[in-house]
């Protein structure tokens, strides 16, 4: 079975600091990769996704992620965080060989940005 | 607005009871998936419904069952509730099985006492 590891459970940053959240997955076959964000009291929202092509993916709100196949990684980055980025971030993977579009999520990283 | 509507938003039940959670998918979506998010964990896949049939199931016991109606809405039923079933239950809808364009609802917070 697949697994997704997110390295940091809690991250605290000051505004304007750079962000990088780590994500590694266990499956070696063809995968689709996702980052979701959950703002306090809100539903999960898609930040960005990787299916194929350019391994550097740009998402909403200035976020980007880089797929490194050799490292089974899909790290999320943002050059300069804002207070409004305070949220929980989830990495997820879909095993394309499963035949179904179900997602395996990591445990999440809680990001707190102080003003 | 999430586009996916779940009800109720909060629920408290006693061990051994049964519960039914409801989900209305985003307009135009025909596939519904259910996830369980325990405190401090990421969402875990329970099962997925398409064309009123369960298409895939995660590692959850038979106490968890579901249904999809002709209008694509769905129910999640849990029998013989355990304390460990306390979690946020998320519904996600999409159009066609492999679209990967999931829209999540805000969830139902179930507390079992």
């Amino acid at each position: 079975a697949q697994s997704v590891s997110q390295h940091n459970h809690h991250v605290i940053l000051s505004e304007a600091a750079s962000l990088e959240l780590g994500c590694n997955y266990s499956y070696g076959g063809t995968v689709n990769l996702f980052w979701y964000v959950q703002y306090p009291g809100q539903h999960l929202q898609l930040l960005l996704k990787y299916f194929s092509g350019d391994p550097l993916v740009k998402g909403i709100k200035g976020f980007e992620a880089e797929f490194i196949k050799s490292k089974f990684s899909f790290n999320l980055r943002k050059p300069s965080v804002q207070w409004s980025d305070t949220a929980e971030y989830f990495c997820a993977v879909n095993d394309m060989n499963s035949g179904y579009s179900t997602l395996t999520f990591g445990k999440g990283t809680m990001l707190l940005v102080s003003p | 607005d999430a586009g996916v509507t779940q009800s109720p938003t909060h629920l408290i039940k006693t061990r051994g009871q049964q519960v039914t959670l409801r989900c209305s998918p985003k307009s135009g979506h025909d596939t519904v998936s259910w996830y369980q998010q325990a405190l401090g964990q990421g969402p875990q896949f329970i099962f997925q419904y398409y064309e009123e049939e369960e298409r895939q199931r995660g590692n959850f016991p038979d106490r968890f069952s579901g249904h999809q109606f002709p209008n694509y809405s769905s129910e999640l039923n849990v029998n013989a509730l355990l304390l460990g079933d306390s979690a946020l239950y998320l519904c996600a809808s999409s159009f066609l099985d492999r679209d990967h364009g999931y829209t999540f609802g805000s969830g139902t917070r179930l507390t079992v006492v």
Side-chain angles (χ1 to χ4, degrees):
Chain A
Q2 290 185 46
S3 66
V4 177
S5 297
Q6 292 184 238
H7 311 306
N8 308 98
H9 294 301
H10 294 89
V11 173
I12 301 174
L13 294 173
S14 300
E15 274 193 315
S18 64
L19 170 72
E20 181 160 3
L21 301 182
C23 172
N24 286 90
Y25 60 95
S26 62
Y27 183 66
T30 303
V31 294
N32 292 335
L33 297 157
F34 305 81
W35 275 97
Y36 283 86
V37 62
Q38 191 169 31
Y39 298 103
Q42 295 189 27
H43 60 279
L44 277 169
Q45 299 174 42
L46 182 65
L47 267 182
L48 48 78
K49 58 187 178 184
Y50 172 79
F51 286 179
S52 63
D54 189 345
L56 186 60
V57 179
K58 294 194 182 300
I60 62 172
K61 305 186 181 186
F63 286 92
E64 64 179 30
E66 184 176 14
F67 171 53
I68 303 179
K69 189 174 182 179
S70 61
K71 295 185 178 180
F72 299 92
S73 72
F74 190 55
N75 292 353
L76 181 71
R77 300 195 292 248
K78 186 171 183 179
S80 176
V81 295
Q82 300 173 322
W83 176 79
S84 59
D85 293 324
T86 294
E88 191 156 20
Y89 293 81
F90 293 94
C91 180
V93 60
N94 167 244
D95 169 11
M96 291 301 297
N97 291 327
S98 72
Y100 298 98
S101 58
T102 61
L103 298 174
T104 300
F105 284 86
K107 291 186 176 182
T109 297
M110 185 66 218
L111 171 66
L112 176 62
V113 179
S114 58
Chain B
D1 180 14
V4 175
T5 304
Q6 291 188 244
S7 63
T9 54
H10 296 83
L11 200 54
I12 300 175
K13 288 287 190 178
T14 304
R15 276 179 298 175
Q17 285 188 315
Q18 179 263 346
V19 68
T20 298
L21 311 181
R22 295 176 175 81
C23 172
S24 293
K26 183 177 179 179
S27 178
H29 285 184
D30 58 6
T31 302
V32 173
S33 302
W34 286 92
Y35 288 80
Q36 181 195 65
Q37 187 176 7
L39 201 61
Q41 303 292 319
Q44 279 196 290
F45 173 70
I46 303 175
F47 41 54
Q48 183 182 79
Y49 277 83
Y50 174 68
E51 292 189 338
E52 302 180 49
E53 292 194 359
E54 182 181 294
R55 298 201 71 199
Q56 193 176 16
R57 188 180 185 91
N59 189 25
F60 279 80
D62 291 344
R63 298 187 297 108
F64 289 77
S65 63
H67 190 76
Q68 186 180 34
F69 299 94
N71 67 353
Y72 308 119
S73 67
S74 177
E75 288 181 350
L76 163 65
N77 300 292
V78 187
N79 293 323
L81 283 167
L82 304 173
L83 294 179
D85 295 331
S86 296
L88 181 67
Y89 288 85
L90 298 170
C91 172
S93 72
S94 59
F95 176 63
L96 297 179
D97 183 38
R98 298 179 70 81
D99 179 63
H100 305 289
Y102 278 114
T103 299
F104 280 86
S106 297
T108 293
R109 172 73 62 188
L110 172 65
T111 302
V112 182
V113 297

